[in-house]
Amino acid sequence: MSTATLSGKTLAGIIREKTQDEARSLEQDSLRPVLAVVMATDDESTLWYVRSIERAAERAGIDCRIIDLGHDATEQVLASVLRDLSAEPSVNGIILQTPLPADVRADALVGLIAPEKDIDGANPLSLGRLAVGQPAFPPATARAVVEILDHYDIPVAGRNVVVVGRSAVVGKPLSLLLLARDAAVTVCHSRSGPLGKYTREADVVVVAAGRTGLLTGSDVSGKTVVVDVGTNVLPDGSLVGDVDEASVRGVAAALTPVPGGVGSVTTALLLLHTVEAARNQSPSPMLAAQVMETAG
Ligand code: NAP
């Protein structure tokens, strides 16, 4: 059978347009959204990624401030910068970029990002709010998966959805978003045993494990829609997902590509969350009310 490709590029374009429109309407209220990206690494691919966010932000009408503290930044310095940004009224969104120096406790730091500015859902408070159905920004990647399924009219309510991975940044928040949409969610992880017994029965499988070739053609059926969140860099520098594309293609109903799938939508959503946060923090009650409907 032929497996449909669920590209994220068109959807990312739609989200970028929506973000530009929102930024323009904020400008009419003399507001220009500001995104702060805090980083503490010399890693080339991270630098490249942060610069790509900066370029995309500028195109969308968002000011992006990169605060590069260097690879030897201490936890105290990072904490102080995050506290200041959280308290700074002109800053609307904050990202703490990983990787961080080895002796820094990322868990402690993300808790310092003000929840209303936590546009990548990193603060445990955001995850807690998602869990109880209160307004919060989910991690952009988790929301990207749901947006892709929506964009391609793939229903999840009452469907059997398997999420592979249970991290606080992808698997857990994604499971909460899917539960909120009435999916029957099964979460697999490194101790749940062979994937096939869960995934072969699934309508939708989302793989977010960071393991090349984890999901193969024998793990899926003809009805399965596969969303590949994984990003793995091969020794030759190419980027692949967690899905063994060669064996899954031709068996599954549909598959998101890597690159060009979840990742493209994720970056676009980070910027959409920034304008939504700016609206939320706006002194105009009418603008703030609109955001409550859009966030999450
Ligand atoms: P993570 O924190 O390392 O978590 C990986 C999860 O996968 C863990 O829950 C782990 O189980 C599970 N796992 C590992 N090996 C497994 C196996 N053999 N079978 C089943 N489950 C297994 O990673 P993450 O931050 O969630 O990221 C996951 C992947 O998504 C990575 O490739 C990452 O680069 C990618 N990612 C992509 C985007 C994007 O925008 N496209 C954004 C974020 C992350 P345990 O809990 O038992 O250890």
Side-chain angles (χ1 to χ4, degrees):
M1 83 176 271
S2 97
T3 299
T5 298
L6 308 180
S7 165
K9 287 184 178 168
T10 308
L11 172 58
I14 294 169
I15 295 168
R16 277 195 295 269
E17 266 176 36
K18 188 174 170 189
T19 304
Q20 276 169 357
D21 290 348
E22 293 278 342
R24 268 187 223 114
S25 94
L26 284 166
E27 217 171 285
Q28 283 166 8
D29 275 26
S30 307
L31 283 169
R32 188 167 168 96
V34 174
L35 169 64
V37 183
V38 179
M39 60 184 290
T41 178
D42 292 338
D43 176 57
E44 281 296 323
S45 60
T46 307
L47 281 171
W48 182 89
Y49 174 66
V50 169
R51 297 259 177 261
S52 74
I53 293 181
E54 184 184 33
R55 282 193 301 273
E58 299 300 338
R59 279 196 297 272
I62 295 169
D63 279 343
C64 184
R65 295 187 197 159
I66 298 174
I67 297 125
D68 187 351
L69 300 171
H71 69 277
D72 52 358
T74 62
E75 189 173 316
Q76 285 73 14
V77 168
L78 279 153
S80 157
V81 166
L82 289 171
R83 278 198 196 93
D84 288 351
L85 291 169
S86 289
E88 167 58 52
S90 69
V91 172
N92 306 114
I94 302 171
I95 296 173
L96 177 61
Q97 184 61 46
T98 54
L100 291 166
D103 51 351
V104 159
R105 291 171 307 149
D107 290 1
L109 291 173
V110 288
L112 299 173
I113 301 174
E116 68 275 15
K117 301 184 182 185
D118 185 25
I119 52 115
D120 202 17
N123 187 328
L125 275 177
S126 299
L127 189 61
R129 286 182 177 181
L130 279 186
V132 294
Q134 290 179 6
F137 291 110
T141 304
R143 183 174 172 188
V145 172
V146 174
E147 295 284 345
I148 286 177
L149 294 171
D150 277 356
H151 177 71
Y152 286 100
D153 288 327
I154 295 160
V156 295
R159 301 291 177 102
N160 181 355
V161 180
V162 173
V163 176
V164 183
R166 58 175 166 179
S167 73
V169 290
V170 190
K172 283 196 182 108
L174 173 60
S175 308
L176 294 171
L177 293 179
L178 291 165
L179 270 180
R181 284 163 175 254
D182 300 323
V185 184
T186 303
V187 182
C188 296
H189 43 79
S190 66
R191 310 291 294 273
S192 53
L195 286 180
K197 70 176 167 173
Y198 306 100
T199 56
R200 270 191 291 275
E201 297 301 317
D203 300 294
V204 177
V205 177
V206 185
V207 201
R211 298 282 182 276
T212 313
L214 181 62
L215 191 85
T216 67
S218 62
D219 297 322
V220 296
S221 74
K223 69 172 178 179
T224 322
V225 172
V226 182
V227 180
D228 192 351
V229 178
T231 51
N232 308 291
V233 181
L234 296 181
D236 68 1
S238 58
L239 188 71
V240 296
D242 288 350
V243 172
D244 176 37
E245 193 178 343
S247 66
V248 167
R249 206 164 265 294
V251 181
L255 172 65
T256 61
V258 177
V262 175
S264 337
V265 179
T266 297
T267 312
L269 280 172
L270 281 175
L271 300 180
L272 180 64
H273 284 180
T274 303
V275 292
E276 287 174 347
R279 271 198 181 280
N280 235 358
Q281 292 153 36
S282 149
S284 153
M286 202 173 79
L287 287 177
Q290 285 175 17
V291 144
M292 285 310 187
E293 289 165 22
T294 50

